[in-house]
Amino acid sequence: MKIQIHKTLILFLLLTFNLANAQQNDKEKCRYTKTNYGYLMVLREGDNVLELIENLAKEQNIPSANFTGIGFAQDATFGFYDFGEKKFHPKTFNKVEMGSITGSIAWSGDKPSIHMHGVATDGKFDAYGGHILGLKVGTGSMEIYITVNSEKLERKIEQPLNANVLQLPCLK
C-alpha cells in the first residue's frame, strides 16, 4: 500500500513538473536564430514587431541591416507623412495579412532606429501600404529575415522637413 502511494506521488510530481516545464518552454520560445547572413525571427501572436527588432539590434549590437518579412497582423498602423505639417497621419488596420514588409536598421545615438514599410491585405483582398508606425502579430506567426551589414549607419533629423534620414559615409 505504501509503495503504491509513493509510486502515485512520484508519478504525480513528475507529471506536474513536466507540464509546468512544457508551459514555461512554450512561453519562452525562441524569437530569433543566427543565420549565415544575419538573423531569422519568428514572431508569434501578440508580439510587438518593431520593439522586438529594436531589442534584437541592441542585444546583438547589429551595426546596420535591412530586413524583409511576411505574416499575419493583429494590428498594422500605417502613417502617411504630411510634409506641410511635418508629422505622420496614422491609420490602423486590424486582422490583416502582411504580404510584404521591408525596412532597415540604423542607429540614432545609442538607440536603434527602425524604418519599416509594408503592404497589408484584408479579407476582401483590399491592400493598404506605406510607412509602418506599429505592427502587432496576429493569429499564426510572422517571419522577419534580417541581413546584417558590417558598416554602422546613423539616422539624423534633417530640416526643413523634420525627417529622420539615413546618413551615408562618403566614398573616398
Side-chain angles (χ1 to χ4, degrees):
M1 179 82 162
K2 280 187 176 183
I3 292 175
Q4 184 62 30
I5 292 172
H6 287 294
K7 284 182 180 178
T8 305
L9 180 60
I10 289 170
L11 183 60
F12 173 77
L13 290 173
L14 284 172
L15 288 173
T16 303
F17 174 77
N18 285 338
L19 181 60
N21 196 30
Q23 288 173 346
Q24 181 180 9
N25 288 340
D26 189 49
K27 290 178 187 174
E28 296 176 9
K29 285 185 179 173
C30 294
R31 295 297 191 251
Y32 64 88
T33 190
K34 185 90 173 94
T35 66
N36 290 335
Y37 58 85
Y39 298 89
L40 168 60
M41 299 182 84
V42 177
L43 308 179
R44 292 172 177 80
E45 187 171 1
D47 284 346
N48 180 323
V49 178
L50 289 162
E51 181 180 290
L52 288 171
I53 292 173
E54 186 176 308
N55 289 346
L56 175 68
K58 283 189 262 187
E59 288 172 15
Q60 299 300 317
N61 199 26
I62 295 173
S64 65
N66 57 294
F67 58 86
T68 60
I70 54 174
F72 294 102
Q74 179 178 331
D75 302 308
T77 301
F78 291 92
F80 187 81
Y81 194 76
D82 184 319
F83 289 101
E85 294 181 29
K86 298 180 184 179
K87 69 176 189 175
F88 282 102
H89 292 280
K91 185 165 185 178
T92 300
F93 299 91
N94 306 104
K95 296 181 182 174
V96 293
E97 184 166 359
M98 300 304 296
S100 176
I101 300 168
T102 187
S104 62
I105 301 170
W107 291 82
S108 183
D110 62 348
K111 284 186 59 180
S113 177
I114 311 301
H115 187 190
M116 184 186 294
H117 283 239
V119 176
T121 61
D122 62 18
K124 296 177 186 173
F125 295 97
D126 290 333
Y128 312 95
H131 186 93
I132 297 176
L133 299 174
L135 186 60
K136 188 181 283 189
V137 180
T139 304
S141 66
M142 191 169 290
E143 301 168 10
I144 308 290
Y145 303 86
I146 300 170
T147 303
V148 175
N149 304 315
S150 59
E151 181 91 26
K152 184 172 183 176
L153 296 177
E154 296 273 337
R155 281 200 176 81
K156 294 193 187 318
I157 301 292
E158 288 188 1
Q159 300 304 333
L161 297 177
N162 200 41
N164 200 17
V165 179
L166 190 62
Q167 307 295 304
L168 296 177
C170 292
L171 293 176
K172 295 178 184 188

